[in-house]
Amino acid sequence: MSKAEVIIVPEPKSIKFEGKLLPFDGFANFPEFLSKEFNVPKGSWKVEEKDVKEGCGIASITIREGIVEVSGDPKVYYATILQLISQNRQALPEIQVEEELQFRFRGFHLDVARGGVPTVDTLKAILRWLYILKYNYFAIYLEDLFPWDKYPDIGAQRGRYTNEEWNEVIDYGAKLGIEVFPSLELAGHMENILMLPKYMRFSEWHRPSEGCLDVSDPEGRKFAEDLLIEALEKTRSKYIHIGGDETWALGRGKSLDKLGRFEGPRLYAEHHVHLIELVKSHGKIPLLWGDMISGMYLRTTEREKWKGLLERPIWREAIIANWDYSSNSLDYFLKKIALFKEKRYEQVVCPGFSNWNRYYPDFDTALKNLENFLTAARREKVLGFLVTAWGDDGEECLFSFLYPLLVATMEYAEGNGKWEEKWIKLSGEDPKVFEIRKLFGRSEIANFIKPVLFRPLDEVKNLPIYKTWREALEKAKDIVLPKDLEFIRRCLEIGLRKVEGTITVADYLGLASIYADLWLSERKPNGLERVYARFWSAASQIELMHKLHRSSA
């Protein structure tokens, strides 16, 4: 192990290493839970702790023959030790490391509500990655999947978590020093609740699939209050996310009929002020999405109606989740942060993995978004970050594809941004496989797999992407890929067969079977039928096309 091969995520404040390796046989006194979960061997080495300061984000590590001397934040120094073990299980480097993390809030926000509900084991696997990378918060976006005792019918057919499952995940996170908390929706994005016959009456819009709660209705507000109170009672973290994003229909349906005028901003403010007060009364801190109170994503005419919300001092009682998933410039993100900073609102920045509506993340967009948004956050010294992975339109993107982006996030946020070699070392992945992993994340590939597979041929046959696809397949030709990446390779092959006119029904059915196995390896079965239906529908279109061709021959 040379100096270049000793990697730590994120890049520490300082490393002193002259290349000497020390034989390692395991620890005599490593924390039992960490030993078990990360397979740390028992041996003669000892950890000597002094000046322990939980949660400070600062750590010192000195490794010499048989001894690891540590001080500061145990969540930081134990994670670093585990990183070093993962790189060489027979030897540890003689090294001195000084670490100092800037952000107090280092979080991951995972959408599990759009079709693919991770099993408890999958959530534990994610938590292990978060721990070793030094995240300290994990928000799970649930919509209708929280285990509400008062409303057992909500989410019952969609794989909602039981109390036992939820508590098991929270307990596991707590043992790793990671606070797990729910991310709820209590105004917009409530379609999976409001479409249930029992709760349709609470919908603002005549079409409950719009997902907006009628907050002009006292009974509707009481319903949201019930959902929040039970979630608060079951949340051990000091944080809870109360949603509040994309409430575009608010004030435009039943409330408009009732009031005779558009009162969306006032209704939004009154509802969320009450929710914030409820959270504070339970001794917790609410997070609130920042788009509606700023009007940042509304049309100009709409923004004028909403912009007054930003002046309300109540938002200082919450943490604003400032989300943006674009690949815009550093200057753009500095202005985005200034919007709330100038009002003295606490905020976390929320970049995204660009994994939604896709089978594979758009690395090109995600990495530029992460780099610029997190660089701006460091410069402006905000509270922290809550990086997001959404699941719009079926959550087909496998969770296993997100792990490299978790590494990249932490390295951009707290290190030097050079994450690629660190992913290879921590994961043990063959560099050739990693190159294919990155290649599949090019926008011309990741953004078009789903359209090419499932849209009509006439809409996709002339897309200017297929040269890139063929080049990617050529580079991957002789490389043995893990099962999840092999699925993406198969998607490209079958997509090309479709535009070349050689595709068969069996191609789609075989692809569906491969994907189903991958889904079930990390998720509950709920929602898989929707994905299956897309493959089978595409197969039926091929069969119909062949029948019509034969009948006309």
Side-chain angles (χ1 to χ4, degrees):
M1 187 188 292
S2 69
K3 185 173 183 178
E5 292 176 315
V6 174
I7 67 94
I8 295 172
V9 178
E11 187 68 20
K13 184 178 180 181
S14 68
I15 301 179
K16 184 179 179 181
F17 174 55
E18 297 180 352
K20 184 177 180 181
L21 293 177
L22 305 170
F24 173 69
D25 63 352
F27 283 104
N29 65 335
F30 208 73
E32 184 177 347
F33 182 77
L34 295 179
S35 293
K36 175 176 173 290
E37 296 304 309
F38 294 93
N39 195 27
V40 178
K42 289 285 187 182
S44 60
W45 279 61
K46 292 183 179 179
V47 178
E48 294 185 354
E49 295 180 283
K50 62 179 181 178
D51 299 326
V52 174
K53 297 177 182 177
E54 291 276 356
C56 70
I58 299 172
S60 295
I61 303 169
T62 299
I63 300 179
R64 54 189 176 82
E65 190 75 48
I67 299 290
V68 180
E69 297 174 346
V70 294
S71 64
D73 191 340
K75 297 182 187 69
V76 175
Y77 56 69
Y78 277 121
T80 295
I81 295 169
L82 288 170
Q83 289 185 23
L84 294 173
I85 293 172
S86 73
Q87 294 167 61
N88 188 335
R89 299 187 69 84
Q90 282 75 49
L92 290 179
E94 186 174 67
I95 196 170
Q96 290 182 334
V97 180
E98 298 292 330
E99 299 189 75
E100 186 172 345
L101 304 181
Q102 174 176 319
F103 294 120
R104 287 180 287 143
F105 192 112
R106 305 178 299 279
F108 177 43
H109 182 279
L110 178 65
D111 177 359
V112 306
R114 309 299 178 89
V117 184
T119 63
V120 169
D121 284 344
T122 297
L123 292 174
K124 287 180 177 180
I126 292 169
L127 279 163
R128 287 192 293 274
W129 267 107
L130 296 181
Y131 177 81
I132 204 169
L133 296 173
K134 300 161 192 170
Y135 288 75
N136 55 359
Y137 294 101
F138 184 25
I140 303 178
Y141 178 82
L142 296 153
E143 291 190 0
D144 59 328
L145 302 181
F146 189 82
W148 286 291
D149 294 329
K150 189 170 183 177
Y151 299 99
D153 53 332
I154 291 178
Q157 302 304 312
R158 294 203 333 113
R160 85 176 216 170
Y161 290 109
T162 65
N163 282 310
E164 293 73 21
E165 288 172 328
W166 183 249
N167 287 328
E168 187 175 348
V169 173
I170 291 177
D171 287 342
Y172 193 82
K175 289 175 181 176
L176 293 171
I178 297 172
E179 291 187 21
V180 179
F181 61 90
S183 178
L184 306 174
E185 291 288 6
L186 301 166
H189 287 297
M190 295 182 68
E191 57 271 17
N192 286 311
I193 296 176
L194 297 179
M195 286 193 297
L196 297 175
K198 185 176 177 181
Y199 307 106
M200 285 181 178
R201 68 186 188 277
F202 298 140
S203 174
E204 166 75 276
W205 205 242
H206 67 279
R207 188 176 67 248
S209 59
E210 176 64 33
C212 191
L213 185 72
D214 177 13
V215 302
S216 72
D217 175 13
E219 192 179 358
R221 292 197 304 272
K222 178 62 167 59
F223 174 59
E225 181 180 312
D226 286 346
L227 297 177
L228 177 57
I229 288 174
E230 186 170 345
L232 284 165
E233 291 171 348
K234 293 178 176 179
T235 298
R236 297 180 219 163
S237 171
K238 58 180 163 292
Y239 294 110
I240 191 168
H241 204 313
I242 60 173
D245 60 319
E246 298 180 337
T247 57
W248 301 310
L250 186 58
R252 301 192 178 281
K254 292 178 184 175
S255 63
L256 181 62
D257 295 338
K258 186 186 307 178
L259 301 171
R261 60 189 181 278
F262 175 66
E263 292 280 0
R266 178 182 66 81
L267 292 169
Y268 182 98
E270 290 177 357
H271 181 59
H272 287 89
V273 165
H274 180 59
L275 296 181
I276 288 170
E277 290 171 345
L278 265 178
V279 174
K280 302 291 282 189
S281 73
H282 282 73
K284 299 189 184 298
I285 302 169
L287 280 82
L288 176 76
W289 297 115
D291 56 311
M292 297 309 297
I293 66 170
S294 63
M296 61 175 64
Y297 299 121
L298 298 174
R299 296 190 304 271
T300 303
T301 53
E302 289 292 299
R303 195 178 303 130
E304 288 300 309
K305 296 182 176 73
W306 286 82
K307 69 178 184 180
L309 277 185
L310 196 58
E311 307 301 324
R312 290 178 176 254
I314 185 64
W315 311 130
R316 293 196 184 98
E317 301 298 315
I319 293 172
I320 306 304
N322 186 359
W323 62 272
D324 193 298
Y325 314 132
S326 67
S327 57
N328 277 306
S329 67
L330 174 61
D331 185 61
Y332 168 90
F333 287 111
L334 289 168
K335 292 176 181 176
K336 174 84 63 163
I337 291 169
L339 184 66
F340 299 111
K341 187 176 181 179
E342 288 170 355
K343 305 293 182 185
R344 294 184 292 113
Y345 298 159
E346 192 84 89
Q347 64 181 299
V348 292
V349 301
C350 302
F353 287 165
S354 289
N355 62 302
W356 49 94
N357 296 313
R358 300 171 176 89
Y359 277 91
Y360 197 80
D362 175 357
F363 274 47
D364 290 347
T365 299
L367 291 172
K368 185 56 66 176
N369 172 251
L370 291 169
E371 180 181 11
N372 288 342
F373 208 175
L374 292 169
T375 299
R378 288 175 70 165
R379 185 176 298 183
E380 294 301 313
K381 296 180 168 56
V382 304
L383 176 66
F385 63 87
L386 182 64
V387 67
T388 61
W390 294 101
D392 302 50
D393 197 33
E395 199 143 9
E396 294 102 334
C397 183
L398 297 167
F399 302 124
S400 61
F401 292 145
L402 305 181
Y403 296 147
L405 294 171
L406 288 172
V407 177
T409 298
M410 186 57 74
E411 196 56 44
Y412 282 126
E414 296 280 7
N416 59 16
K418 298 177 181 178
W419 66 275
E420 292 94 337
E421 181 68 18
K422 297 189 177 188
W423 162 257
I424 290 170
K425 291 294 183 184
L426 290 181
S427 67
E429 185 163 270
D430 185 325
K432 293 180 180 179
V433 171
F434 176 65
E435 287 306 311
I436 302 305
R437 183 182 296 280
K438 285 202 304 181
L439 185 57
F440 287 169
R442 290 186 59 182
S443 297
E444 300 97 314
I445 295 176
N447 292 346
F448 290 95
I449 292 172
K450 195 168 175 178
V452 169
L453 287 177
F454 300 120
R455 287 185 186 171
L457 179 60
D458 287 347
E459 294 182 17
V460 300
K461 64 183 179 182
N462 294 319
L463 290 172
I465 60 172
Y466 299 116
K467 179 181 178 183
T468 302
W469 285 34
R470 291 185 179 95
E471 289 172 350
L473 288 172
E474 181 62 28
K475 289 179 181 178
K477 183 172 61 175
D478 297 321
I479 298 175
V480 177
L481 299 176
K483 291 180 180 179
D484 54 357
L485 289 178
E486 180 60 35
F487 167 74
I488 299 300
R489 172 158 55 188
R490 291 286 295 156
C491 286
L492 300 187
E493 291 171 345
I494 289 172
L496 286 172
R497 289 181 198 169
K498 177 177 176 177
V499 298
E500 292 164 356
T502 60
I503 195 168
T504 67
V505 169
D507 286 331
Y508 271 115
L509 300 188
L511 199 58
S513 180
I514 293 168
Y515 182 75
D517 288 340
L518 291 166
W519 174 294
L520 293 171
S521 71
E522 61 177 30
R523 309 165 184 220
K524 297 184 179 186
N526 309 77
L528 178 56
E529 72 286 347
R530 180 183 177 189
V531 182
Y532 252 134
R534 286 178 174 155
F535 283 106
W536 283 69
S537 176
S540 70
Q541 292 298 314
I542 298 301
E543 175 65 14
L544 177 59
M545 181 179 68
H546 289 167
K547 278 185 179 294
L548 292 174
H549 179 73
R550 288 194 297 268
S551 64
S552 63

